[in-house]
Amino acid sequence: MLPPLLRQTDFRWFFTGQLVSLLGSSMAPVALSLAVLNASGRAGDLGAVLAARMVPLLVFLLIGGATADRLPRRTVLVAASLGSALTQGCVAAVLLTGHYSLPVVAGLEFLNGVLAAFTTPALRGLVPELVAKGELRQANSLLASVRNGTKVFGPSISGLLVVAVGGGPAIGFDALTYLLAAGCLARLPAAVGTTIPAARRVTLRRDLREGWARFRGTGWVWSVTLSFCVINLVQTGTWQVLGPELTKQLSGEATWGFLLSARGAGMLLMSTLIYRLAVRHLLRAGLLACALGALPLLAIGAQLREPWLITAAFLAGLGTSLTGTAWDTSMQEHIPSHVLSRVAAYNDLLSYISNPIGQLSVGPLAHAFGGFDVATCAALCYAAAALLPLAYPSVRRLPHAQTEVPTEARAEGQAEAR
């Protein structure tokens, strides 16, 4: 039986588009990595291609947020999906024809990163346009289930596809999913998404300043964003760079794969459970659960055995999924629609800008102090950063809109009781 939200035509088209797009996106990194390595034989080429996509994603994120607040978000997403289909299709064509060139592939991935910078803020802002305020948590839960499910199964499918037919067809499949997603999004009403009236439109710089003023003036938003920035600083590099090597030393090469699978399973389970989880203070619950993300690093630092490592990764997956849904829902419930994409863009930029710093610094730190000690310190900093925003009343007391009873309904209920 379909969840009630999927019986709503507009949300069903949006959900379907996200399903096919996320499946392709979860397969593309594995396919692209293997294809570039096979075509060039140089790890440096792969690093250049990945950086070529990441840099414009960060550089153009604020412009993407402002654009999504100025134009219908449905239009922005359809255009970005068609552009991504074209760029990925060209990458697939280059690889399939045997004409691999680093500047060409890196240039196409640069364009793909620019398009992604317009996609992410528009997606954040579109969901409140499609569902009622009291259904936002359920909508984000369904979308998180799709996202987490594709993260679990997409890379494995991609690996098998690359082995069977090569990286070119696998990237071509990603291009096809973008095309299908554009078709689904095009079925939404043309007016979906906030459009600033012509009389109120100002320069892009003014739009960005307005978004920054809203971001900076909303205490619970910037304090949690700062928390995410610190978490990414200490976690991303430690987990991605040190994690595989340290778990290999503790339990063997296969353990790292088990940890990733357990974390993915926890994320998928929580994204399913939160559909029915109603709490009065959703953001508070999300930040408390966020602290669970420190457990795998703490277990690695303490040099625990494999069952404990896997359990810690599973619990971290539960916490990470709850945090993501709580944050998206809180933003959509409490930030006005006309500025939501810009605030979301500032949040994403300031949250993720610390990733490269963490990735570059963790190696020298591990060399100086030892990998296990670095993992332990990273875990403690992670937990402290997750819990520190709860010191602010605006964070602790932020209500979850679905648990609030409208004044009229409360009055009617009291009258009936009398």
Side-chain angles (χ1 to χ4, degrees):
M1 185 176 181
L2 286 176
L5 275 176
L6 293 181
R7 298 176 203 153
Q8 301 177 19
T9 303
D10 289 347
F11 183 77
R12 186 167 65 246
W13 280 117
F14 176 73
F15 179 84
T16 304
Q18 286 299 288
L19 173 61
V20 295
S21 177
L22 288 169
L23 177 60
S25 297
S26 68
M27 296 171 60
V30 174
L32 183 64
S33 299
L34 295 177
V36 170
L37 288 174
N38 289 335
S40 69
R42 297 185 297 270
D45 278 26
L46 177 58
V49 169
L50 296 178
R53 187 181 188 279
M54 179 57 64
V55 170
L57 175 59
L58 294 175
V59 170
F60 290 94
L61 194 56
L62 298 182
I63 297 176
T67 302
D69 280 338
R70 291 171 70 90
L71 301 176
R73 292 175 180 127
R74 173 254 200 192
T75 302
V76 173
L77 289 171
V78 169
S81 296
L82 290 174
S84 297
L86 179 61
T87 56
Q88 290 297 80
C90 289
V91 172
V94 168
L95 295 172
L96 286 170
T97 57
H99 292 89
Y100 168 80
S101 166
L102 175 60
V104 171
V105 174
L108 289 168
E109 288 303 316
F110 180 92
L111 293 175
N112 207 26
V114 173
L115 293 165
F118 286 81
T119 301
T120 305
L123 284 173
R124 281 264 192 91
L126 185 61
V127 176
E129 303 291 329
L130 297 175
V131 301
K133 193 172 185 179
E135 297 174 320
L136 284 171
R137 191 192 73 250
Q138 290 92 332
N140 286 315
S141 170
L142 289 172
L143 294 171
S145 296
V146 170
R147 185 164 52 249
N148 294 331
T150 56
K151 285 180 180 179
V152 172
F153 300 109
S156 300
I157 296 173
S158 180
L160 294 174
L161 191 60
V162 170
V163 171
V165 297
I171 296 174
F173 177 79
D174 184 35
L176 177 61
T177 63
Y178 277 117
L179 197 61
L180 294 174
C184 292
L185 291 167
R187 300 295 298 269
L188 298 176
V192 166
T194 298
T195 305
I196 299 177
R200 291 180 52 200
R201 287 182 186 168
V202 293
T203 63
L204 182 63
R205 180 181 297 180
R206 181 78 174 271
D207 276 345
L208 293 175
R209 285 206 303 265
E210 182 184 0
W212 172 250
R214 174 70 67 167
F215 174 86
R216 187 184 58 185
T218 309
W220 63 269
V221 172
W222 66 255
S223 61
V224 176
T225 299
L226 182 60
S227 168
F228 290 162
C229 180
V230 174
I231 287 172
N232 288 328
L233 176 67
V234 300
Q235 191 262 357
T236 304
T238 311
W239 180 252
Q240 294 180 351
V241 179
L242 293 184
E245 178 60 29
L246 295 181
T247 53
K248 179 182 176 181
Q249 294 179 30
L250 291 173
S251 305
E253 293 182 349
T255 302
W256 180 245
F258 293 148
L259 260 64
L260 294 180
S261 297
R263 187 172 183 270
M267 294 175 68
L268 184 58
L269 176 60
M270 177 53 74
S271 60
T272 303
L273 294 176
I274 200 173
Y275 186 88
R276 298 186 179 278
L277 178 65
V279 295
R280 180 169 177 78
H281 300 286
L282 184 60
L283 182 58
R284 181 199 300 174
L287 290 173
L288 289 172
C290 184
L292 295 175
L295 291 179
L297 296 178
L298 191 61
I300 291 172
Q303 303 183 44
L304 301 182
R305 302 190 66 82
E306 186 176 12
W308 292 105
L309 295 174
I310 293 174
T311 301
F314 177 76
L315 293 174
L318 293 175
T320 300
S321 184
L322 178 55
T323 303
T325 301
W327 180 243
D328 285 343
T329 302
S330 298
M331 291 268 286
Q332 292 160 356
E333 287 178 344
H334 297 283
I335 300 299
S337 181
H338 72 276
V339 75
L340 175 57
S341 291
R342 279 169 286 172
V343 173
Y346 279 109
N347 163 243
D348 287 338
L349 176 63
L350 297 177
S351 294
Y352 297 128
I353 201 169
S354 61
N355 279 2
I357 302 172
Q359 291 167 331
L360 292 173
S361 62
V362 71
L365 287 173
H367 180 74
F369 302 103
F372 293 108
D373 288 340
V374 170
T376 300
C377 290
L380 296 176
C381 292
Y382 185 122
L387 297 175
L388 188 59
L390 294 173
Y392 292 92
S394 61
V395 176
R396 289 197 313 273
R397 299 172 185 170
L398 189 74
H400 173 31
Q402 192 178 16
T403 62
E404 293 182 314
V405 181
T407 304
E408 298 86 342
R410 189 186 303 116
E412 290 176 4
Q414 291 172 350
E416 289 176 2
R418 287 195 294 266

